[in-house]
Amino acid sequence: MPIYSYTFKDAVGGLQKGTTEAESEEQLRSRFSEQGLEIVEVTMLKKGGKSKSKSYGKVKLKKLAIFCRQFSTMVDAGVSLVRCLDVLGRQTDDTKLKKILMDVGERVESGESLSRAMQRHPRTFNNLFIGLVRAGEIGGVLEESLQRLSTFLEKDVELRRKVTSALTYPVLVVIAAFGIVVFLVSWVVPQFAALFKDIGLKDTDFPAMTKFLIDLSANFQKNWLVILLVTVGTIVVYKIFASTRFGRRVIDRVKLKIPVFGPLHHKVCMARFSRTMGTLLTSGVPILQAMETVAGTVGNSIMADAVLDARARIREGDRIGEPLEASKQFPPMVVHMIGVGEESGSLDYMLQKIADFYEAEVEATLASLTAALEPILIVFLGFVVGFIVIAMFLPLIKVIEGLSSGDGME
């Protein structure tokens, strides 16, 4: 890893110098910016070889929440950091987390700070995590920061669980409907089409819905490879589009505007913004650094841009509520409560209350949405299957009626 020499302005405006390792100059500047410090000059002293940082993959949020809770308890009991990391690494059943904790423990034992050692595993420890740990280290209240972090992660896990569990049933029904339609169109309909041909029925003898299904089945069997390639290509194009800044913004704007699910997504983002911001401020993280971190965790680029614009306005001396209101992404109630919290010096408390409110709103919205979707999806699935069954049996019914009328005439 490259080694850089840097000069930065400290909290009182004095110039300080030092050297450190960093992946790039941009990462080094970002690291100091997160601490509210300004780098004046950066010079690369040595190009590093292969980085010593290792990638062990991403640890599940639930495992991370349990780790934080246990870590805070052990630190509060007076156990050394190295010992804590060693014990927690040995007892966890997650192999990725075990390797990460062992690596962090070795780095801490060699003299690195805990936040710096964790920063080498960005896929597991994000900016929020690092910011809270660093604030706890600087303030000498690491156990409190870890407790707040574990509480935040537990609430985030619970919120994600509620959203996932509420949407699981509708998704399964849609997948089942799609699978049934594909099975009927690709296998059942051709069987009936062959039967109709055997008994001498022509295309002109079919009702419109039967002819539609037979044509659909024939086209599906003939062009299934093209359909598959188009589907895969569409997914790939979507992924590439979503990976661009413009594409991400378009998709996130649609997420906020789409009927029914748009308001739900907005409430989830508001809950995440309030909970993250409140947790950071409670832990003593400066507001500018907190807002930069929140922008990366809010879950929507449109909301993130609004937060970053507000951050720029705050740097120029504005109050936090005014630019948030100007963005049109934050409801008047939220802006008002933030303004009251800012004036009374209890902004962190107000943000936690806003988070509680929106988490309750998300839960209520999910309950009503699930209750409404279940009968709609059941009716939809019944309609699809019923349409196919009726379309296939109508010609047979006509044939039977024709035979019956013929017998009667004789």
Side-chain angles (χ1 to χ4, degrees), residues 141-213:
V141 287
L142 181 59
E143 66 282 358
E144 293 182 13
S145 291
L146 288 169
Q147 287 171 3
R148 294 191 188 101
L149 185 57
S150 62
T151 300
F152 169 83
L153 292 175
E154 287 163 0
K155 288 184 177 294
D156 195 23
V157 168
E158 181 65 15
L159 182 63
R160 291 169 186 260
R161 186 194 64 78
K162 289 176 181 177
V163 174
T164 302
S165 60
L167 297 181
T168 297
Y169 178 79
V171 170
L172 288 177
V173 172
V174 171
I175 293 174
F178 180 77
I180 290 171
V181 170
V182 171
F183 170 73
L184 292 176
V185 169
S186 62
W187 192 80
V188 176
V189 173
Q191 301 294 324
F192 275 88
L195 175 62
F196 296 153
K197 185 176 181 180
D198 290 341
I199 61 179
L201 290 177
K202 300 178 181 178
D203 289 349
T204 55
D205 299 328
F206 296 144
M209 56 194 305
T210 305
K211 190 173 187 309
F212 167 76
L213 271 181

Side-chain angles (χ1 to χ4, degrees), residues 38-58:
E38 179 186 353
I39 286 188
V40 177
E41 183 182 2
V42 178
T43 304
M44 181 186 290
L45 298 180
K46 180 181 178 183
K47 288 187 177 181
K50 190 176 180 180
S51 173
K52 294 181 180 179
S53 299
K54 300 176 182 178
S55 177
Y56 300 112
K58 190 174 182 179

Side-chain angles (χ1 to χ4, degrees), residues 19-33:
T19 58
T20 188
E21 290 183 346
E23 296 285 351
S24 64
E25 181 178 336
E26 289 74 18
Q27 185 197 58
L28 180 61
R29 290 184 181 275
S30 175
R31 190 190 308 167
F32 276 81
S33 176

